[in-house]
Amino acid sequence: MNINSAFPSKYLKASDAEEDLQLTVKSVKLELIGQGQQAEQKPVLYFEEEPKGMVLNKTNAKMLAKIAKSDDTDEWKGVKVRIIATEVEYQGDLVMSLRIREAKRNTATRQAPAEPTEAPAADDIPFAVLLPLLLPATALLGLMA
């Protein structure tokens, strides 16, 4: 049994991002996080592709604001991000934590330019207008050789 499955959470944790997650921001909501005296309002980031939210700390909130080019959380909707799990220092110990990074560009989705189905017209070929001038010049060069 995976120990992480024994303690389910409604929020993303580092073990959920063993592989980088490519996600799209759906919304940000303030929620009460923690229990009793420790409970406090924190922003929680929700995604289109993932049912679990991600509790934002200051580091991740600043990174997302940089990626979205806006400090206004209402403008973060639709922003694509990459969520990674990495070691960070917390109270003198190294612990696994989630970090937000810019989404990787997906080169596989780029389409190759369509191949022409017929030969391009002379007007469509760059420098085609110079061909009549180049032909006599090449003939002269051939005579001089």
Side-chain angles (χ1 to χ4, degrees):
M1 167 174 76
N2 184 327
I3 194 66
N4 293 311
S5 63
F7 302 100
S9 172
K10 69 179 203 173
Y11 301 109
L12 284 173
K13 48 190 175 183
S15 60
D16 294 322
E18 290 176 0
E19 293 183 21
D20 293 3
L21 303 173
Q22 299 282 338
L23 302 171
T24 307
V25 175
K26 180 164 84 172
S27 64
V28 180
K29 298 176 183 174
L30 277 178
E31 295 183 14
L32 194 60
I33 306 296
Q35 297 176 351
Q37 298 279 342
Q38 304 293 330
E40 61 182 303
Q41 291 275 332
K42 290 194 173 193
V44 178
L45 189 60
Y46 287 94
F47 304 98
E48 299 288 339
E49 305 87 353
E50 172 63 48
K52 292 183 178 182
M54 179 180 172
V55 179
L56 285 178
N57 60 18
K58 196 172 189 176
T59 301
N60 285 329
K62 284 184 174 185
M63 178 58 76
L64 185 49
K66 179 180 175 184
I67 293 168
K69 297 177 177 70
S70 175
D71 291 335
D72 185 348
T73 60
D74 291 337
E75 295 181 13
W76 294 357
K77 184 177 180 170
V79 172
K80 297 190 183 306
V81 295
R82 182 169 47 112
I83 308 297
I84 64 167
T86 187
E87 284 186 332
V88 298
E89 188 175 339
Y90 178 72
Q91 296 181 346
D93 292 324
L94 285 178
V95 297
M96 292 303 289
S97 181
L98 294 175
R99 288 292 182 252
I100 293 177
R101 299 290 183 256
E102 271 191 79
K104 289 182 179 177
R105 292 195 174 120
N106 189 355
T107 56
T109 60
R110 289 186 188 168
Q111 292 183 342
E115 292 189 27
T117 54
E118 56 187 65
D123 293 345
D124 294 337
I125 301 173
F127 306 107
V129 294
L130 297 178
L131 285 177
L133 300 173
L134 293 174
L135 291 176
T138 55
L140 280 175
L141 288 174
L143 293 175
M144 299 173 90

